[in-house]
Amino acid sequence: MRRGLGRLAAVVCCLLLAACAGGRARHGGSNTVSFALPPSATPNWILPLAIPGYTASYNGVIQSALFVPLYAYDGSSGAVGMDQQASAANPPVYAADGKSVTITLKPLTWSDGAPVTSEDVQFYLDLIRAAKDDWGAYTKGLMPDNVTGFHIVDDHTFTLTLDKTYNPGWFTANQLTLITPLPRQAWAHDPDPRKTFDYLVAQAKNLGGYNTDPLWKVVDGPYALESFSPTGQVTLAKNPSYTGQDGSHLDKITFLTFTSSAAEYNVLLAGGVDYGYVPTTNLGQRPKLESMGYKVQPWNGWSITYIPYNFNNPALGKAFQQLYLRQAIQHAVDQKAISQVIWRGTASPGYGPVPQDNDPTFLSPQQKTNPYPFDLDTSRRLLSDHGWRPDPDGILACREPDECGPGIAAGTRLSMTLLTESGSDETDGTMQELKSELSKVGIELRINAQPLNTVLANGTTCEPTSPACAWQLSYFGTQGSWYFPAYPSGEQLFATDAGVNFGNYRDKPTDDLINASTLATSPQSMVDYSARLAQQLPVIWMPNPPYQVSAIDASLHGVVQDPMAGLQPQRWYR
Amino acid sequence: MTTIALPTRFAVGSNRLATAGAVILGLVVLFCLAGPLAYHSDQVHTALDAARLSPGQQGHPLGTDDLGYDVLGRLMVAGRTSLAIGVLAGLLATAIGAVWGALAGYAGGWLDAVLMRIVDTGVAIPALFLLLVAATLVTPSIPVLSLVIGGVSWLVPARLMRAEAATLRERDFVKAITVMGAGRLRVVFGHLLPNAVGTLVVAGTFQIADAILLVAYVSFLGLGVPPPATDWGAMLSKSITYTYDGAWWLILPPGIAIVLVVCAINFVGDGLRDAFAARGRA
């Protein structure tokens, strides 16, 4: 008995010690900053080439600190615009006919002493052209297909020839931002760009090599990689060789990883984080945090949140292709309640493919007014009208295959697995709510919670015959599923065969609208695109949470919470 | 011939703490198993429109949690899970430990040394670490958690049983049946284990208490049974975030339940130990 009671006493002591530690302020006071990464998120990619499964926003934050993108945008001013300080080139100059663009690089230098030149941009384009099917940002017909010529004017100036006249604003914001000059002199492993691409990807997958591989020592950004733990903790140090105009005020920034938001919050209370976040379940403790020297600020995103259907899943892909089924599922999502109760009002309902709570320029009336409000009766009726009848256990099964839809076999049951990210109380609650409401209409939802990297790695595009196509639904939206570039167009998300079209959604009218949005300067095609996908439901639209509710050390200045989820730690100072 | 040593009277009755423990345990078991028959609540579907109600509001005696589950009903459902895992894991740990320890104690020599060094190695590895690793590899459920907790908890009963077996091995009745030609397995399973029943019963009660605590730990760390199922540890884990909101009704009930049951089982275990000790002295 003594042993059992001893354990109880130990638990009580631990809780008391943790509570006492809450009052101990350790954050602040030095020229280094600790930044808390999202729950269960561990950086696993620093190569600035998007590869499916490695496109998490926190990877992008580290990449842009090490490698300066050709063009960067941010929305910190309230409107999304170019961040010239964080860009490797001066604003592009388009030809009068719009079919070419001339770009001049700024005088940046790689940390091995070599200058950043036009050839470094060409090197990048050669790599993604040679391996475009493996490049996560690829969409057929767009970058790099739409660049038909590369002409080097001099070391710092080059001209891209385009296959047609694009909307210049879109092309700069959504295409040129995909390019990052790479250190050709250090990374050109083989004359064949395909082999070099494969080599770089292989090296990048070796997380243990990030600390020692000379490849990762050559950077041109305001930071250099000091250490990279396979468990995800990353420390960046000020790059002494940086020659741009956006140098770091801080000596170091450390990205900390946590298995859950609760674990992060405990460390935050103990003063172990300079820039962390507050789980919305703990928002009642705001005064306590403020008394500890933290500023508490929501970080809203230029984003949407959704659950992709895997239209190629052998078991349920054909069912997901039926609009009535997607409508029935969407009718069972109580977005208002989830936003207000589970997210405590910090999330906002989202009904379509463009961000709803920021600039309304592209928002259609259909998306704005929610074509499929929470209505379980309508949901049930849609399913019963199409041949789905409950089995003895209450789960619906297809009993009238002619009514269920083509390719759906008699006896197919609406029992689906949702692969979701772990570690967040809000996401756990959302999933329980979803499971609960769907069960009321006869749909069984099995929840499989995994770390975010696992969800992203497993829930990618796949062929129906591939074992990788076993996933049916996936959720990676605890901090928003997708953060847009300046134009919230869908060429990466919902265009046929697009790199981030994880669910393999295919719809010709959608493709046409996406194409039109990339060419026209008028917003109408974007509005039409918003309307169509609000009605077609290529995914389950979910409430869009803030990127996070931040707790920032009050002595840390210069912090701007970019709605595009970018981070500019080089501008922070004490 | 099988000889079983049992206390001459149920000594628990003469031990006030043990009696209190037995009564509390009985009431808790009754509360968890029969409670839902008398008090109906939906523990499957969320009710966001009734989330975080304080006790007494809208017909919820203990209020509701962050997803609108009735806390009183949830306490019953969670108790079933905690008790089921605790009992199954405790019995499994005791059974494995009993056989392992009996074999080691009776065999002696190199087999005893090998078996007990394995036990020593296992004891050196924190059970919680093994549990967390296992819980990340398999989807937790009542059978899985019972197996895993039982699988990491048998080491202490093994040590106890080994000492008991080493003593019994020298008793005349064991030597006698060995001379009569009984095989090793028959001696172990037919005579040693039945004669160590007192040790095993006491160890088993402590194992059950420990298993209930372990499942609470694991659930507290977010690796318990998946929702909408729950256990007391998971309830406590979810509730602890509302400490500063003053939502005591989410924190105290599962916390008190864990403390009550663990203490009650330990009291009963103490009583049984005293009873068997008295029998040994008689």
Side-chain angles (χ1 to χ4, degrees):
Chain A
M1 183 181 102
R2 277 196 296 265
R3 194 158 40 88
L5 291 179
R7 286 188 176 182
L8 275 177
V11 171
V12 172
C13 287
C14 288
L15 289 173
L16 287 174
L17 287 172
C20 292
R24 182 164 44 93
R26 288 196 286 110
H27 60 95
S30 72
N31 208 27
T32 66
V33 164
S34 52
F35 181 91
L37 289 166
S40 85
T42 51
N44 60 353
W45 199 255
I46 63 172
L47 175 67
L49 284 167
I51 300 297
Y54 297 89
T55 54
S57 60
Y58 44 87
N59 286 330
V61 162
I62 293 169
Q63 289 160 18
S64 60
L66 302 175
F67 305 97
V68 183
L70 192 61
Y71 290 106
Y73 277 71
D74 78 20
S76 52
S77 65
V80 176
M82 185 184 290
D83 183 350
Q84 293 200 31
Q85 266 189 298
S87 300
N90 294 317
V93 178
Y94 286 84
D97 63 359
K99 295 193 71 170
S100 67
V101 55
T102 299
I103 294 168
T104 302
L105 295 171
K106 294 175 180 174
L108 292 172
T109 307
W110 296 109
S111 48
D112 63 0
V116 176
T117 67
S118 302
E119 289 188 337
D120 294 330
V121 178
Q122 187 176 27
F123 177 57
Y124 185 94
L125 283 170
D126 288 345
L127 291 179
I128 60 171
R129 199 185 298 280
K132 59 189 179 187
D133 290 333
D134 294 327
W135 183 47
Y138 178 64
T139 301
K140 191 176 181 183
L142 301 181
M143 186 67 68
D145 296 343
N146 53 11
V147 176
T148 56
F150 189 96
H151 172 64
I152 294 179
V153 178
D154 60 37
D155 273 357
H156 290 90
T157 308
F158 57 91
T159 300
L160 302 178
T161 306
L162 312 182
D163 62 344
K164 60 181 109 165
T165 301
Y166 289 96
N167 170 0
W170 173 83
F171 193 82
T172 306
N174 285 30
Q175 297 289 275
L176 295 180
T177 48
L178 299 175
I179 299 172
T180 299
L182 300 180
R184 180 187 50 83
Q185 79 285 358
W187 287 13
H189 173 72
D190 191 283
D192 179 354
R194 175 73 225 197
K195 289 181 178 171
T196 298
F197 181 95
D198 292 339
Y199 169 75
L200 291 173
V201 168
Q203 295 301 104
K205 286 182 177 174
N206 176 22
L207 301 189
Y210 281 165
N211 286 324
T212 53
D213 194 327
L215 277 178
W216 316 119
K217 305 294 181 193
V218 185
V219 297
D220 65 342
Y223 290 96
L225 185 64
E226 180 174 282
S227 66
F228 191 107
S229 159
T231 59
Q233 180 164 315
V234 178
T235 299
L236 304 180
K238 182 177 182 175
N239 176 6
S241 307
Y242 179 70
T243 56
Q245 299 170 326
D246 202 18
S248 173
H249 297 288
L250 299 173
D251 293 331
K252 287 181 187 175
I253 176 169
T254 300
F255 295 91
L256 304 174
T257 60
F258 298 92
T259 53
S260 70
S261 55
E264 186 271 345
Y265 190 63
N266 285 336
V267 177
L268 185 77
L269 285 179
V273 177
D274 293 306
Y275 193 150
Y277 47 87
V278 188
T280 55
T281 47
N282 296 107
L283 278 178
Q285 300 174 43
R286 183 175 183 152
K288 176 180 170 65
L289 289 165
E290 289 173 340
S291 72
M292 292 173 62
Y294 286 108
K295 294 179 289 187
V296 178
Q297 298 174 347
W299 182 349
N300 294 315
W302 182 240
S303 57
I304 56 173
T305 299
Y306 54 85
I307 296 174
Y309 297 99
N310 184 358
F311 293 101
N312 279 354
N313 177 258
L316 286 174
K318 295 293 182 189
F320 291 152
Q321 288 171 17
Q322 302 304 312
L323 179 59
Y324 74 83
L325 175 63
R326 305 200 297 274
Q327 290 171 334
I329 290 174
Q330 192 70 54
H331 274 301
V333 182
D334 190 353
Q335 291 211 44
K336 286 181 180 169
I338 293 172
S339 302
Q340 286 303 316
V341 178
I342 295 175
W343 288 95
R344 292 199 170 196
T346 59
S348 50
Y351 309 122
V354 303
Q356 281 188 218
D357 45 0
N358 305 84
D359 187 347
T361 308
F362 306 117
L363 191 61
S364 64
Q366 290 85 346
Q367 178 177 341
K368 189 176 181 180
T369 53
N370 186 13
Y372 306 110
F374 177 62
D375 184 347
L376 294 181
D377 289 336
T378 303
S379 180
R380 288 189 197 97
R381 184 176 46 76
L382 279 165
L383 294 169
S384 63
D385 286 352
H386 288 85
W388 297 88
R389 306 283 181 268
D391 274 350
D393 59 3
I395 299 171
L396 293 174
C398 176
R399 295 296 168 219
E400 307 289 342
D402 293 342
E403 296 175 16
C404 296
I408 301 174
T412 300
R413 280 160 58 89
L414 288 181
S415 173
M416 48 196 77
T417 300
L418 171 56
L419 182 63
T420 180
E421 61 180 296
S422 58
S424 159
D425 289 341
E426 296 88 349
T427 294
D428 291 346
T430 301
M431 294 305 120
Q432 283 190 60
E433 160 67 8
L434 203 55
K435 179 185 176 83
S436 168
E437 300 302 343
L438 286 172
S439 74
K440 291 175 185 171
V441 299
I443 298 174
E444 182 190 39
L445 189 68
R446 294 184 303 271
I447 308 295
N448 179 12
Q450 297 288 336
L452 180 56
N453 285 343
T454 305
V455 176
L456 291 173
N458 291 336
T460 57
T461 53
C462 57
E463 293 301 321
T465 53
S466 164
C469 235
W471 71 275
Q472 295 173 330
L473 301 161
S474 83
Y475 180 77
F476 39 88
T478 300
Q479 294 188 293
S481 296
W482 179 254
Y483 281 76
F484 286 98
Y487 262 63
S489 47
E491 67 275 5
Q492 288 193 68
L493 283 181
F494 300 117
T496 299
D497 295 331
V500 194
N501 183 356
F502 293 141
N504 304 285
Y505 178 68
R506 292 168 183 273
D507 181 46
K508 178 71 168 54
T510 300
D511 288 344
D512 292 342
L513 287 169
I514 291 172
N515 287 336
S517 70
T518 65
L519 302 174
T521 53
S522 157
Q524 188 54 46
S525 52
M526 277 296 300
V527 174
D528 294 342
Y529 160 78
S530 158
R532 178 158 186 86
L533 291 195
Q535 292 168 324
Q536 287 296 310
L537 304 171
V539 292
I540 304 173
W541 300 118
M542 295 294 291
N544 191 39
Y547 183 71
Q548 63 186 34
V549 178
S550 302
I552 308 165
D553 179 2
S555 72
L556 189 63
H557 302 289
V559 176
V560 173
Q561 306 209 92
D562 179 7
M564 298 170 78
L567 209 62
Q568 294 87 23
Q570 65 271 25
R571 297 172 195 168
W572 302 347
Y573 61 92
R574 292 193 191 275
Chain B
M1 182 185 75
T2 297
T3 55
I4 300 176
L6 287 174
T8 51
R9 62 194 174 100
F10 187 51
V12 169
S14 65
N15 184 321
R16 287 180 183 173
L17 273 181
T19 306
V23 170
I24 291 170
L25 199 56
L27 289 175
V28 171
V29 170
L30 194 66
F31 170 76
C32 295
L33 297 184
L37 301 175
Y39 181 78
H40 303 286
S41 64
D42 185 350
Q43 296 298 323
V44 175
H45 299 108
T46 57
L48 296 187
D49 55 346
R52 291 195 292 272
L53 295 177
S54 49
Q57 280 190 293
Q58 294 182 24
H60 299 285
L62 278 180
T64 60
D65 69 6
D66 58 332
L67 294 178
Y69 289 118
D70 178 88
V71 172
L72 181 58
R74 201 136 186 86
L75 207 56
M76 298 170 185
V77 173
R80 289 180 174 186
T81 308
S82 291
L83 291 173
I85 295 174
V87 170
L88 288 174
L91 292 179
L92 181 65
T94 307
I96 297 172
V99 173
W100 192 280
L103 285 174
Y106 178 68
W110 66 268
L111 183 59
D112 178 30
V114 169
L115 291 178
M116 295 318 290
R117 292 303 78 72
I118 292 173
V119 169
D120 292 343
T121 307
V123 167
I125 303 172
L128 192 57
F129 169 75
L130 295 174
L131 278 173
L132 293 180
V133 171
T136 54
L137 294 177
V138 291
T139 303
S141 63
I142 291 178
V144 166
L145 282 173
S146 302
L147 277 175
V148 172
I149 292 175
V152 300
S153 304
W154 58 271
L155 304 165
V156 172
R159 279 182 164 173
L160 289 173
M161 187 60 213
R162 186 259 177 194
E164 188 76 12
T167 306
L168 290 172
R169 184 180 61 183
E170 303 303 324
R171 300 276 288 270
D172 290 342
F173 75 92
V174 175
K175 288 181 177 173
I177 55 177
T178 306
V179 169
M180 290 167 70
R184 286 186 171 191
L185 289 179
R186 180 170 178 186
V187 173
V188 167
F189 287 99
H191 301 279
L192 292 190
L193 288 173
N195 276 286
V197 69
T199 302
L200 294 177
V201 167
V202 174
T205 57
F206 293 144
Q207 284 303 313
I208 291 171
D210 283 355
I212 289 173
L213 273 183
L214 272 176
V215 73
Y217 294 160
V218 174
S219 297
F220 192 85
L221 295 170
L223 297 167
V225 289
T230 189
D231 62 80
W232 289 331
M235 285 182 75
L236 197 57
S237 172
K238 273 190 72 177
S239 306
I240 213 80
T241 53
Y242 297 101
T243 307
Y244 291 92
D245 290 355
W248 58 267
W249 64 91
L250 298 180
I251 303 162
L252 289 182
I256 290 173
I258 293 171
V259 172
L260 264 183
V261 167
V262 171
C263 286
I265 294 175
N266 276 294
F267 291 154
V268 171
D270 275 354
L272 287 170
R273 185 188 56 200
D274 293 347
F276 283 110
R279 170 67 179 87
R281 285 193 301 272

